[in-house]
DNA sequence: GCATAAAGTGTTTCTGTACCACTAATTTAG
DNA sequence: CTAAATTAGTGGTACAGAAACACTTTATGC
């Protein structure tokens, strides 16, 4: 290990950046999009002590086999589950985002249904909590975040919202079975606007994305048929984006 | 600098990964998509000596202000120009892609018109050359690449092809002015299939993406009107993806 | 029984992609 | 000079899917 640290100094004329992974973990609770944040340790010498941050940390080159494995580890560590959806959002790297010096972070987005969650306060995190996000117009009503995590979270949300216009992405926020109205509602929460019911139902049912179950969900009104995502269906791309009322369509 | 390298050893229990940037530089030459490759130095101790690779290298934490700045530097270094389009494709990081140990690379895609290019063999590269890519069905007819660069190049090409279905992305492979037929041709090369002329023209002209010039281009047949990209137009997203004959639509 | 509200459906309008035939503008060959 | 060939450009139709809205069905509460 000491030998390995000596190698950079031998053939590399400048120090390596710090390498971290940060995970934006989203779920739907109380008809609201929620993000999981950890409170950093309030210790001297720690950057942004006591500040809320996205779960993540330094890549363990001894045990993590890849960046994605690191992300999966952090996710499992904090939520106890494997996310049905995990994707890389992008990487940020510069000399000023971290007071410790030049650093890179590799940001992942995880979407989870709320039902089976039990957030766990692993490692040296002071606290772990779900925070509701505001609809897009109001901006997120969150505590100030450590590092550049507000920006990273913004990028993750923009990805989710952009992709909701032309893919099935928000479906991963739902439990295994759901009604079509619940599916529509999750899209509406993500997009921050209402969708026309008939058009939405036609879109989903025609896509082959879901299969209907023999079960009905007992609601306070008419019972609703339950559906689930077909097991051989990954992320579905629709041939046409939803029409929005102002603003451009697509990922940003 | 010695102090900086001491810091990792003090509070980090494992060594930092090597941090590099690789750039997939594409242009259109002779109606063929071409990728710029560098030949690595044939020196003992160098990983993959003499092997062709994507332009790139280690992040210079003294001079590069960000990952993207590093990518821009590498691009300028090799082509002498600033690309009209540069985007981050993604990051790869693991213990096995580089014989030097745990490493990360941050991959960027640059699209350039061919007209003003003068590839320059900067640094310690043995050679620098444009290689034509085959149409998708035939697979790329390239020399074996160093590291995992074949995989990275594949990801970049998939990005370009995916986005060609629903955005204006291939337009950046063209010079400042172009005919609609040239624009259609570049889309066809990227997508590897022909497009229906009328539908394509309607799509482009209705999008507000291009403006017509008073000039005509003298061809061997009927003169064609010249167009250029509107200056306030970034990447354009079309409301509907092109219809493909088999295979799904969207980025992969 | 009626009002209410959610689940589900029938039908029409609109937008944009594909298709194909045709016209316009040039070059080339007989 | 005329006809053929080829590219640039256009008119018009068919089709797929998103939006809109009215209506029917299924339950609960008064």
């Amino acid at each position: 290990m000491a030998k390995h640290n000596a190698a950079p100094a031998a053939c590399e004329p400048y120090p390596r950046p710090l390498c971290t992974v940060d995970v934006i973990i989203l779920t739907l609770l109380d008809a609201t999009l929620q993000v999981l944040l950890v409170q950093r340790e309030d210790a001297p010498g720690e950057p942004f002590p006591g500040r809320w941050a996205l779960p993540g940390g330094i890549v363990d080159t001894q045990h993590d086999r890849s960046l994605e494995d690191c992300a999966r580890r952090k996710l499992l560590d904090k939520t106890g589950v494997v996310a049905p959806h995990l994707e890389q959002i992008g990487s940020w790297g510069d000399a000023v985002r971290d007071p410790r010096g030049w650093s890179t972070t590799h940001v992942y987005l995880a979407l989870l249904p709320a039902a089976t969650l039990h957030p766990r306060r692993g490692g040296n995190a002071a606290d772990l909590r779900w925070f509701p996000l505001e609809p897009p117009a109001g901006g997120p009503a969150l505590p100030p975040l450590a590092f550049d995590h507000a920006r990273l979270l913004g990028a993750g949300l923009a990805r989710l919202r952009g992709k909701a216009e032309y893919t099935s992405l928000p479906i991963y926020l739902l439990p295994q079975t759901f009604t079509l109205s619940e599916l529509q509602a999750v899209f509406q929460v993500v997009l921050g606007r209402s969708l026309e019911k008939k058009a939405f139902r036609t879109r989903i049912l025609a896509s082959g994305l879901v299969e209907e179950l023999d079960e009905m969900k007992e609601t306070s009104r008419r019972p609703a048929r339950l559906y689930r995502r077909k097991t051989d269906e990954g992320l579905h791309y629709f041939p046409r984006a939803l029409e929005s009322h102002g603003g451009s369509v697509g990922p940003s």
Side-chain angles (χ1 to χ4, degrees), chain A residues 4-5 13 34 44 46 60 72 79 108 145 148 165 175 205 239 246 249:
Chain A
H4 197 91
N5 261 353
Q34 317 254 356
E46 275 287 332
D60 176 352
R72 290 192 186 282
T79 65
Y108 288 79
L145 301 185
D148 56 352
E165 303 280 354
L205 295 179
V249 163

Side-chain angles (χ1 to χ4, degrees), chain A residues 102-123:
Chain A
W102 230 103
S103 74
T104 60
T105 192
H106 305 90
V107 186
Y108 288 79
L109 175 68
L111 302 183
L112 296 160
T116 56
L117 290 183
H118 299 99
R120 309 192 288 190
R121 206 180 66 185

Side-chain angles (χ1 to χ4, degrees), chain A residues 57-138:
Chain A
I58 297 171
V59 174
D60 176 352
T61 51
Q62 308 277 48
H63 295 104
D64 294 326
R65 278 177 306 172
S66 65
L67 290 175
E68 186 169 311
D69 276 2
C70 181
R72 290 192 186 282
R73 173 169 63 87
K74 299 291 181 186
L75 178 67
L76 188 63
D77 193 38
K78 294 294 183 286
T79 65
V81 301
V82 172
H85 185 80
L86 181 72
E87 70 175 85
Q88 194 187 83
I89 296 293
S91 299
W92 280 257
D94 61 53
V96 298
R97 56 182 298 279
D98 191 316
R100 291 169 290 190
W102 230 103
S103 74
T104 60
T105 192
H106 305 90
V107 186
Y108 288 79
L109 175 68
L111 302 183
L112 296 160
T116 56
L117 290 183
H118 299 99
R120 309 192 288 190
R121 206 180 66 185
N124 50 3
D127 197 8
L128 186 70
R129 206 186 303 172
W130 290 105
F131 285 83
L133 297 167
E134 292 288 317

Side-chain angles (χ1 to χ4, degrees), chain A residues 13-239:
Chain A
Y14 19 82
R16 296 177 172 183
L18 182 64
C19 181
T20 63
V21 157
D22 290 308
V23 193
I24 300 162
I25 305 171
L26 301 180
T27 196
L28 196 73
L29 268 173
D30 305 321
T32 309
L33 211 46
Q34 317 254 356
V35 62
L36 190 63
L37 299 178
V38 297
Q39 190 172 33
R40 293 180 63 81
E41 221 177 342
D42 207 347
E46 275 287 332
F48 299 95
R51 203 79 173 255
W52 291 94
L54 297 172
I58 297 171
V59 174
D60 176 352
T61 51
Q62 308 277 48
H63 295 104
D64 294 326
R65 278 177 306 172
S66 65
L67 290 175
E68 186 169 311
D69 276 2
C70 181
R72 290 192 186 282
R73 173 169 63 87
K74 299 291 181 186
L75 178 67
L76 188 63
D77 193 38
K78 294 294 183 286
T79 65
V81 301
V82 172
H85 185 80
L86 181 72
E87 70 175 85
Q88 194 187 83
I89 296 293
S91 299
W92 280 257
D94 61 53
V96 298
R97 56 182 298 279
D98 191 316
R100 291 169 290 190
W102 230 103
S103 74
T104 60
T105 192
H106 305 90
V107 186
Y108 288 79
L109 175 68
L111 302 183
L112 296 160
T116 56
L117 290 183
H118 299 99
R120 309 192 288 190
R121 206 180 66 185
N124 50 3
D127 197 8
L128 186 70
R129 206 186 303 172
W130 290 105
F131 285 83
L133 297 167
E134 292 288 317
L142 291 173
L145 301 185
F147 303 105
D148 56 352
H149 284 197
R151 184 165 146 222
L152 303 185
L153 177 57
L157 291 173
R159 171 70 70 85
L160 173 61
R161 288 180 181 131
K163 274 194 163 176
E165 303 280 354
Y166 64 96
T167 75
S168 58
L169 192 55
I171 201 170
Y172 295 103
L173 294 166
L174 286 175
Q176 296 261 52
T177 63
F178 46 82
T179 66
L180 288 186
S181 295
E182 281 164 347
L183 185 56
Q184 179 170 346
V186 74
F187 270 84
Q188 288 174 166
V189 166
V190 167
L191 292 165
R193 68 180 196 266
S194 67
L195 298 171
E196 208 281 317
K197 181 175 55 169
K198 178 62 196 281
F200 184 80
R201 293 175 69 95
T202 305
R203 181 169 163 96
I204 296 295
L205 295 179
S207 69
L209 170 65
V210 298
E211 60 193 357
E212 61 177 55
L213 303 179
D214 286 339
E215 282 175 83
M216 305 298 273
K217 174 161 180 161
E218 300 303 325
T219 72
S220 56
R221 299 296 180 189
R222 173 174 168 165
R225 180 168 294 280
L226 283 169
Y227 293 80
R228 76 179 160 206
R229 194 164 36 94
K230 282 185 186 171
T231 51
D232 56 341
E233 273 288 332
L235 187 61
H236 181 88
Y237 288 80
F238 295 100

